[in-house]
Amino acid sequence: MIELQNAAYNYGGGELLSEVSLKLAPGSFHFLTGPSGAGKSTLMKLCYMELTATAGQARVFGNDVRNMTRDDIAEARRRIGIVHQDCRFLDHLPLMQNIALPLSVSGKDVEAEKGNLRELLKWVGLDHQENALPQELSGGERQRAALARAVIMAPDVVLADEPTGNVDSEMSQRLLQLLIELNKMGKTILVATHDLALIRMAKSQVNIRVLRIANRRVQLAGADL
Amino acid sequence: MTPKSSQPGFVDTMLETFQGDNAGVVPATGHTAWLTVFASGAMAFLAVFALALSLATGRVADRWADELARTATVRIAAPVGQVDAQTEAALNVLRTTPGISEALALTDEEQNALLTPWFGSELDLESLPVPRLIEIVESDPGYDRDGLRLRLAGEVPGAILDDHSRWRAPLVAAANRLRSLGLLVLVLIAATTAVIVTLAAGSALAANQQVISVLRLVGAHDSYIARAFVRRFTLRALAGSAMGTLAGCVAILLMPDPGEVAQNNFLTGLGFVASQWLWPLIIPLLAGAVAFAATRTAAFRALKELT
Ligand SMILES: Nc1ncnc2c1ncn2[C@@H]1O[C@H](COP(=O)(O)OP(=O)(O)O)[C@@H](O)[C@H]1O
Ligand SMILES: [Mg+2]
């Protein structure tokens, strides 16, 4: 699905990531961990094509990102559910429309999908909030809303950057359950987090692989978690 | 959703812009919105006057040019007994003058008709030494005025060449120039509208970088994002210029009526005549099209740079 081959990234002050190779096989569940500032979000951005590797290559759905036009990237993103680290909503639109945004953007009939939208809101436990504006939601609600928006297009891959960033442990657990459910539905999942407790919790329920960024490289973490 | 194989035409693209449900994805930005509406309104108001000036000077130029072609005369002022002989002599001179295509002596009735408004109908022409008038029709290159004067002075002592309406020639030229300037002003107004809309759209695009990045995150094509902006600015320009045009037309309607006599003057005759009233209708359409093209260009350029 998504593959990095000897990829590097450099914001200008020296390489932040070097010789990164990873492969997200269909249906796999990966965690990406590492200290704050290690480059987790940067690696996620390489995966969803917001950044282009400064060396090596990234392949998304088999295509070399360097050869993709902006329209190609837009098309590919419709198959990737992205939960951004800061969620990122359109603050002037109510929750329902924010979650429906991927549908509107790809020209789908939002009215016809209203049923699915309601179901999805119920799934993330926000069915009573559909008319709320994003800034009226709590941190955990925003994270769940971001997850709902990420999966509305029934994507093949879900990339979640710190999905439990600023929520309490109970909410973390709920979010994790949603991600596990998605994986059981066959979705490929990559979650970046510095929350080791979350990883341990996941490990006890599904088959996961944990990647760790250390010294600019990405390694497969052992049983030391 | 975006046709890839065939290049859509301007009208197709424009229609597509006003379909779809991307109306609300870009938040309404208060003051650029009103600046655009106001500026296109003001520009349309000015455009109405430029158009009126252009059309009015055009009418005046046509009328004056028409009169110019017919208004040179030769007057024969001679003692009563010699008028006919001198008229004949003058006609001979005129017929052999290159650049004059026709020379016609007015009949008594025609002269009467000309004089009646001044002296009343009871006038007995026979009893007065009324000069005989010969009307000259010039051909295109015109005739040598001074040469003709000299010949007439030599051969027909009572003849006076009167081409006083010549003074209008530079005015006709000026009116024609004014008509072209009016059209140039229209072009400048359209260009200024394009500049204003481009700047406003540019600032709206810059102010909405967050929105654009969210839209891109969920897989929006440039064309989708551009449409949201283009639609908004085109509608604002249309609305503003429709109001400006309406205000301009009302202002012209309210201009003091100059009456028949003053119709010859482009200042008092400023306005539209009959079907010319249809012309201002194109101003909002033009403004909409200009705004559409300007925003589209600005949006695609900004989106290309914003990666
Ligand atoms: N746009 C940027 N320009 C320059 N430096 C950046 C940019 N984004 C992130 N960085 C730097 O790259 C490093 C890694 O950032 P990030 O990938 O967000 O780490 P993490 O998500 O693991 O906390 C940080 O030191 C950060 O300051
Ligand atoms: Mg991060």
Side-chain angles (χ1 to χ4, degrees), chain A residues 4 29 42 45 73 124 127 134 148 155 171 175 198 206-207 212:
Chain A
L4 300 180
F29 197 140
T42 305
K45 285 175 183 167
I73 289 174
V124 295
D127 42 339
M171 187 56 72
L175 277 157
L198 186 77
V206 277
N207 194 9
R212 182 169 24 212

Side-chain angles (χ1 to χ4, degrees), chain A residues 40-41 85 161-162:
Chain A
K40 299 184 293 297
S41 296
Q85 183 164 5
D161 192 355
E162 307 279 4

